[in-house]
Amino acid sequence: MGLLTDPSVGHGALTSIFVRHHNRFCILMYIASVVLFCMLAHDSFSSQTYFSENALLPGLVKGQLNDNTGSSFKDHYRELKAEAQYFETETPHSYLISKFKNLRLETYSHNFTLNYPLKKNTKYTGRNVYGILRAPRSASIESIVLSIPYRAPSSVFPNTLPGLAVMFQIAQFFRQQMYWAKDIIFLVTEHEQLGMQAWLEAYHGTCCGSPGVLDSGKLSGRAGAIQAAINLEIHSEKIDHIDIKLSGLNGQLPNLDLVNLAHRLCNKESVRHTFNNVDGGAIGRNKVNTYYTNLSTMLSMVMTQATGVPDGNHGLFHRFGIEAITLEGYEKKGRGIYVSVLQVGRVIEGMFRSLNNLLERFHQSFFFYLLPSTDRYVSIGLYMPCLVLLVGALFLKAFSTWIQHSSEHKLGDSLSKQATISEHLNVGVVSLITLGTHVLGLILLPNFAPAYFTYFWDHISTHRALLMGYGLLSFIIVCIMPILMKKCLNSFKVSNWVLLHVICLLELGIGLLCVSMHNFSLGYLTALVYVLPAIFTSSSQNKIGVKFLWLLVHPMCSLIWITAIITYMAYPELQIVDYLTKVIEASGQWMALSTVDNLVYGNWAFSISVLLLLPVWTSFWCLMFLPTNLPQKYKTE
């Protein structure tokens, strides 16, 4: 108790230095964070990948898949192309069911329905087809999944018929082997990730999104508990390279051993393999070029992970404790050496045989990492300090602000100090502002506000209605809050606004730490945007430049200027009018997609925006217009 009531605590020489120059220290911490993050791409800060789970035994697997057993890849592919001609916009369910039955698999179909959440009485139906190869050496206790999204010829995405032909050939080969200790599920999904989400929910008997949005239906047949999954997207007979995709829903990543397994077997079968379409083995010996390539690869992973949107169907398995990746084979254009589908088939065979050796779930290797190349990784112990530096700057700002305010009071003893502080603090008003901003965030959640916006503006498209609704509400907050602050709260003391300022800084810092525990990339990029403007704010006398800077980082404004940058990089040739139109349209579409992802899949990127960023931003905005009389010597540097 003596430490808590001693008036000299917090007023030492070192503390005084930090308090007096806290803005400079905060900026220094911000710069150090960025520099440290960029240094992570250097080989000195990353480690060579290795296997933690020796039971995988990837080096002992010798591929036996060939075209001499039963129907060849070309036969399956020819049948698929002929069948697809009659189903330009649909999935040939009857053909797929008969094909699985001809391969002597337990064959089932799965129906699901999407009740579109942003427009009443709008439904979409879909149907998945899957076959189960029962393990001859076990009692259907565990299983492995090989999945492929079916894409009709009219799809805007690259076709997956070659991958489906590879699946048929692999199923035919696996059916003849007797060493399987796990069931193997061959799954063909419809409507991309929607079909996969419905199948996983039905398989596990749960609902991951908002109730009543996705009716996942029921499965007629099940296998054992799923241990791992490989999602296959092969776009051509002649493959240039295999890109290994990792990012899952809400930034989750698969166990690093599964990623290493894919790279190791690709090397063994002489298959060119990449991560984010960068070949780590072809970087070269130039250290400068290697560093910049590693940095761009790591940044691309951070950007992809931060969205919380899976970059393949594999990303929906992670929330169920299932390790999964996507192998995407890109078409070889022009002449030159290419990878055959038979080589890819042997890679898949090797992965399934390695997974068949596992006696327990993946647990020994890393689940949190960044990849600068295909054969190097950065562990969580190295990249988390980057975020800690940014959050530490917020905490230092909060500490310094409170110490500066406390130094106003010249008190004789601890009891009088406690009484004075209580007299100057009006916790009720501060709590009212804080609670009001969070209630506003709750109202704007995807479960509530979007439905009213689309109902009110039902004569326009959904994404435009959402953009107008959220944009209009944001404009009202920006314009009305300063007037309310000046009119209603003119008689309150400066202590209240110092308390509000400290609460805002602490909430932002703690919120960023919590987000980064699940999705480091989202937490770090958000901190890069918000920490610096938050540092420059004060509880009094905020200059017009600070207010404008804080206005730029409003969640709506941030969405628009980020979209503007991406649009300019993708379409630099657009005229100014077309460019601005495309930016506004794309921003509205992002909002609509984020809302639907939240309601269907449980993606919480939108929820973070309205439950954390918007309340904190609004509280800071109120702070900037509060009428205070802070003495000159305590103003921010």
Side-chain angles (χ1 to χ4, degrees):
M1 283 301 296
L3 288 176
L4 295 177
T5 59
D6 186 357
S8 64
V9 173
H11 297 280
L14 185 60
T15 301
S16 299
I17 293 175
F18 275 103
V19 171
R20 192 180 310 117
H21 304 287
H22 65 273
N23 274 359
R24 295 184 179 92
F25 280 110
C26 290
I27 294 173
L28 185 62
M29 294 170 72
Y30 188 95
I31 296 173
S33 172
V34 176
V35 172
L36 178 60
F37 181 80
C38 293
M39 291 173 63
L40 295 178
H42 194 273
D43 288 350
S44 302
F45 290 85
S46 61
S47 303
Q48 189 78 29
T49 56
Y50 61 93
F51 283 98
S52 298
E53 181 54 84
N54 294 322
L56 288 169
L57 301 174
L60 300 182
V61 176
K62 183 178 180 181
Q64 299 176 353
L65 181 68
N66 55 62
D67 275 340
N68 298 327
T69 305
S71 301
S72 65
F73 164 82
K74 292 185 177 180
D75 295 334
H76 294 304
Y77 190 38
R78 191 182 306 111
E79 288 183 16
L80 278 169
K81 289 195 295 185
E83 192 70 25
Q85 292 179 355
Y86 298 101
F87 297 88
E88 186 68 22
T89 60
E90 300 176 359
T91 302
H93 300 103
S94 300
Y95 169 77
L96 295 175
I97 291 173
S98 64
K99 192 69 177 178
F100 278 144
K101 287 183 177 179
N102 290 338
L103 294 172
R104 294 187 293 170
L105 303 176
E106 290 185 21
T107 307
Y108 306 94
S109 63
H110 165 235
N111 299 312
F112 60 91
T113 303
L114 173 67
N115 300 303
Y116 190 61
L118 300 182
K119 188 169 290 187
K120 292 183 178 180
N121 302 322
T122 302
K123 295 185 178 182
Y124 300 94
T125 60
R127 188 180 180 190
N128 302 318
V129 176
Y130 64 103
I132 302 175
L133 173 60
R134 297 292 179 182
R137 301 180 61 183
S138 71
S140 294
I141 299 174
E142 297 175 340
S143 63
I144 315 171
V145 174
L146 178 62
S147 67
I148 290 180
Y150 183 86
R151 293 170 184 166
S154 60
S155 174
V156 296
F157 300 105
N159 83 89
T160 55
L161 294 182
L164 194 53
V166 172
M167 172 187 277
F168 290 154
Q169 188 179 19
I170 289 175
Q172 183 175 295
F173 172 75
F174 284 2
R175 187 71 180 81
Q176 301 171 3
Q177 312 307 315
M178 299 301 295
Y179 46 67
W180 299 114
K182 294 178 173 62
D183 295 342
I184 300 177
I185 303 173
F186 299 93
L187 172 64
V188 182
T189 60
E190 192 174 27
H191 301 319
E192 301 296 329
Q193 294 181 11
L194 185 63
M196 181 60 74
Q197 177 70 17
W199 189 84
L200 285 171
E201 287 186 4
Y203 196 91
H204 294 90
T206 186
C207 176
C208 301
S210 183
V213 175
L214 180 59
D215 182 5
S216 56
K218 295 183 179 180
L219 298 183
S220 303
R222 289 168 47 88
I226 302 174
Q227 303 296 302
I230 307 297
N231 184 58
L232 193 60
E233 297 182 15
I234 304 297
H235 307 313
S236 174
E237 297 179 74
K238 298 180 179 180
I239 302 167
D240 180 71
H241 65 276
I242 294 292
D243 190 54
I244 299 175
K245 298 183 179 297
L246 319 174
S247 295
L249 184 70
N250 294 325
Q252 283 188 273
L253 298 173
N255 189 280
L256 190 56
D257 272 346
L258 182 61
V259 181
N260 296 337
L261 177 64
H263 288 302
R264 177 72 64 86
L265 289 172
C266 284
N267 274 331
K268 185 176 181 180
E269 297 296 337
S270 300
V271 174
R272 182 173 171 240
H273 54 103
T274 63
F275 171 65
N276 284 351
N277 291 311
V278 176
D279 186 356
I283 293 177
R285 297 183 178 180
N286 188 308
K287 292 185 178 180
V288 176
N289 291 340
T290 299
Y291 168 76
Y292 282 114
T293 303
N294 288 347
L295 180 60
S296 63
T297 303
M298 189 174 68
L299 286 175
S300 65
M301 177 180 179
V302 168
M303 297 294 184
T304 302
Q305 186 184 21
T307 64
V309 178
D311 55 357
N313 283 4
H314 70 279
L316 300 174
F317 284 88
H318 299 158
R319 69 171 359 139
F320 298 97
I322 302 169
E323 311 310 317
I325 59 174
T326 288
L327 305 181
E328 183 170 9
Y330 288 87
E331 181 181 1
K332 172 66 177 179
K333 296 181 179 179
R335 298 182 178 180
I337 300 176
Y338 63 88
V339 176
S340 68
V341 289
L342 186 60
Q343 290 174 275
V344 177
R346 286 176 179 159
V347 170
I348 299 170
E349 176 197 356
M351 294 190 69
F352 272 73
R353 290 180 61 182
S354 296
L355 295 170
N356 190 58
N357 295 331
L358 285 179
L359 301 177
E360 54 189 350
R361 288 183 177 273
F362 284 98
H363 67 281
Q364 296 195 55
S365 192
F366 296 94
F367 289 91
F368 301 96
Y369 51 85
L370 295 177
L371 297 183
S373 66
T374 57
D375 57 354
R376 304 195 70 83
Y377 74 97
V378 180
S379 68
I380 186 173
L382 291 176
Y383 64 70
M384 277 304 290
C386 300
L387 182 74
V388 171
L389 283 170
L390 295 179
V391 174
L394 294 173
F395 291 165
L396 176 58
K397 176 73 174 182
F399 171 76
S400 302
T401 301
W402 185 252
I403 292 297
Q404 280 184 333
H405 168 65
S406 299
S407 63
E408 291 182 46
H409 306 283
K410 297 180 180 179
L411 306 169
D413 53 54
S414 60
L415 292 177
S416 61
K417 180 178 180 181
Q418 296 290 338
T420 305
I421 291 179
S422 300
E423 178 184 351
H424 281 268
L425 289 181
N426 190 328
V427 180
V429 175
V430 175
S431 302
L432 183 62
I433 295 176
T434 305
L435 180 62
T437 57
H438 285 82
V439 169
L440 176 64
L442 285 173
I443 295 173
L444 295 180
L445 277 174
N447 306 71
F448 304 106
Y452 291 100
F453 293 152
T454 54
Y455 176 78
F456 187 76
W457 287 293
D458 59 348
H459 57 284
I460 61 176
S461 58
T462 300
H463 69 277
R464 292 178 181 174
L466 292 181
L467 188 63
M468 288 181 61
Y470 282 106
L472 182 60
L473 194 58
S474 300
F475 179 77
I476 293 174
I477 293 173
V478 170
C479 296
I480 296 298
M481 282 301 179
I483 300 174
L484 290 177
M485 293 300 103
K486 291 182 178 180
K487 293 289 186 182
C488 303
L489 302 176
N490 193 40
S491 60
F492 288 90
K493 302 293 184 180
V494 64
S495 307
N496 301 301
W497 318 136
V498 172
L499 178 61
L500 178 61
H501 191 193
V502 171
I503 290 175
C504 291
L505 290 168
L506 293 179
E507 182 181 3
L508 179 59
I510 295 172
L512 291 174
L513 279 177
C514 294
V515 170
S516 65
M517 290 294 101
H518 297 272
N519 188 341
F520 165 78
S521 299
L522 178 59
Y524 187 68
L525 292 181
T526 305
L528 286 178
V529 173
Y530 281 89
V531 167
L532 209 55
I535 289 173
F536 285 116
T537 61
S538 67
S539 54
S540 129
Q541 305 268 337
N542 288 282
K543 298 179 180 180
I544 187 66
V546 176
K547 295 176 181 177
F548 178 73
L549 181 61
W550 192 247
L551 193 61
L552 284 179
V553 297
H554 186 281
M556 277 286 296
C557 295
S558 299
L559 172 64
I560 292 174
W561 61 256
I562 290 173
T563 306
I565 294 173
I566 296 175
T567 303
Y568 179 77
M569 294 174 62
Y571 307 98
E573 72 282 356
L574 289 177
Q575 298 296 323
I576 184 64
V577 176
D578 296 334
Y579 170 73
L580 293 177
T581 302
K582 197 169 189 66
V583 168
I584 298 300
E585 286 289 308
S587 299
Q589 290 170 359
W590 278 31
M591 294 187 68
L593 291 175
S594 298
T595 303
V596 173
D597 282 352
N598 180 280
L599 296 173
V600 176
Y601 304 105
N603 186 326
W604 36 259
F606 196 95
S607 298
I608 289 175
S609 298
V610 297
L611 290 180
L612 173 63
L613 298 182
L614 185 60
V616 169
W617 187 94
T618 307
S619 297
F620 267 111
W621 188 248
C622 293
L623 189 70
M624 291 182 179
F625 292 92
L626 287 172
T628 61
N629 53 353
L630 190 65
Q632 181 67 30
K633 64 177 181 177
Y634 300 122
K635 291 177 184 177
T636 305
E637 304 169 35

